[in-house]
Structure formats: C-alpha cells, structure tokens
Amino acid sequence: MKCESFESSNPLDDDTCIANNFYVWLLQVVALLGILALALWLIFRPRSPKYTIVDFSIPQSSLVKDGQNGTILYDLEIENPNEDSSIYYDDILFAFYFGQDTVGERTIPSFHQGIGKTRQVIDRVDVNPRVWKSLLSAISNATADVKVGLSTKFRYKTLGKKSKHHKLELEGQLKVGSDGKISGKKKKIKLHHASKKWRRYKA
C-alpha cells in the first residue's frame, strides 16, 4: 500500500497510512516466517521406525504329531529411515498370538539406533504349552493365523536434542503353512499401526 503523494489536509491521515503500511509489512514477515518454519518442520520431522518380519519358521522337530513343546524362530528387522535423527528405544515387547491366547513373547532390551541404520533381531520363542496343541492342529491343516503385536516407547535425537517419548503399538498377521513357514507370496510381513480393536483386544 502506498500513501498518496498529495499533501493531506489532515496530518492524521498520513500517520494512519504509515501505520497501515507497517502492519501490512509485519503481516508479510510473519507469513514468510510461518512458511519457513513449516518447511523446516517438514524437512526435519522424523519418521517412525519400520518393523518387518523377514523370516518366521517352526522347526520340523516341533511339528512332530503329539509333540508337547513348540518353538518359533523369527528374524525381525528394525529400520531407522531417518537421515538426520537417531533413535533411543525403551524395551520392546514382541509377542505372538493365536486366537485369544498368547503363544509366546520376548522383550528386546533398550538400545540406541544410529542414523539410517537397520538392526536384525534373530531370536526364538518357546510356545506356551497350553496353546501349542491347538496351534499345531491348525498348522497341520494349513489354517493357522498367527497375530504379531509389538509395543514400545522411543525418543528421537535430532541436531543433538532428544525429543519427548513417542508411544508405538504395531500389529501384523502371519498365515502359517503346514511346513511351519509363512505361506503365500508375501514372505516379509511389515507391521503396521495397531487398530483400536487390536489395542482393546490386547488389553
């Protein structure tokens, strides 16, 4: 906005015009700073870690008919997709479910994951004996649907500063064939954010 060049008969008009110009300029500066802040937030906003089951199997020795004990072998991939933030994890609770029952669970101890790093967790879970008979029967019929649940809290470290804790609850589903391995074309199962129904189910 430009003030008129002709001489005003009222000095207040000139003051008002100058004040209006100042406020317009101030609004433009605030808007520009807001856009800049949004751009920086989008650039530096960390992304959530990614969890993928890259291998799952039940050894043939566990699939013996009338066997009393079972074991699950798994390979869990934990990826930090950020190129400017490392991640500090609290303990991670990782569990398998069949129907309403807990098949078995593991706690992955807290750890720090560097920028852009991927960690492989290769471990085993001893199946709950009370669940094993029904699970083995479903596996023998190639109808076993095993659910996976994961919960943890973590903090990002960006530009030397740690964030607040972020809660993470994930779920996934595995279809297990009669050979004790993941059936179907998808052999790698990415875990996704748990639904409200799943969180109520776990509670």
Side-chain angles (χ1 to χ4, degrees), residues 45-81:
R45 179 183 60 171
R47 290 180 289 165
S48 296
K50 298 178 180 179
Y51 294 81
T52 305
I53 297 176
V54 297
D55 193 22
F56 172 98
S57 64
I58 298 175
Q60 290 298 314
S61 57
S62 294
L63 296 176
V64 177
K65 188 176 181 181
D66 297 327
Q68 299 300 312
N69 299 298
T71 301
I72 292 175
L73 307 178
Y74 68 88
D75 184 349
L76 176 67
E77 182 180 274
I78 305 173
E79 178 190 354
N80 175 8

Side-chain angles (χ1 to χ4, degrees), residues 135-174:
L135 177 59
L136 179 60
S137 175
I139 291 173
S140 300
N141 296 322
T143 58
D145 287 330
V146 176
K147 293 184 175 65
V148 181
L150 182 149
S151 61
T152 187
K153 291 182 179 180
F154 63 91
R155 291 182 294 169
Y156 298 110
K157 186 175 182 180
T158 307
L159 301 176
K161 184 178 180 180
K162 288 184 180 179
S163 71
K164 66 177 182 180
H165 273 94
H166 298 272
K167 187 176 181 180
L168 187 64
E169 291 192 12
L170 303 177
E171 64 174 303
Q173 186 161 326
L174 313 174

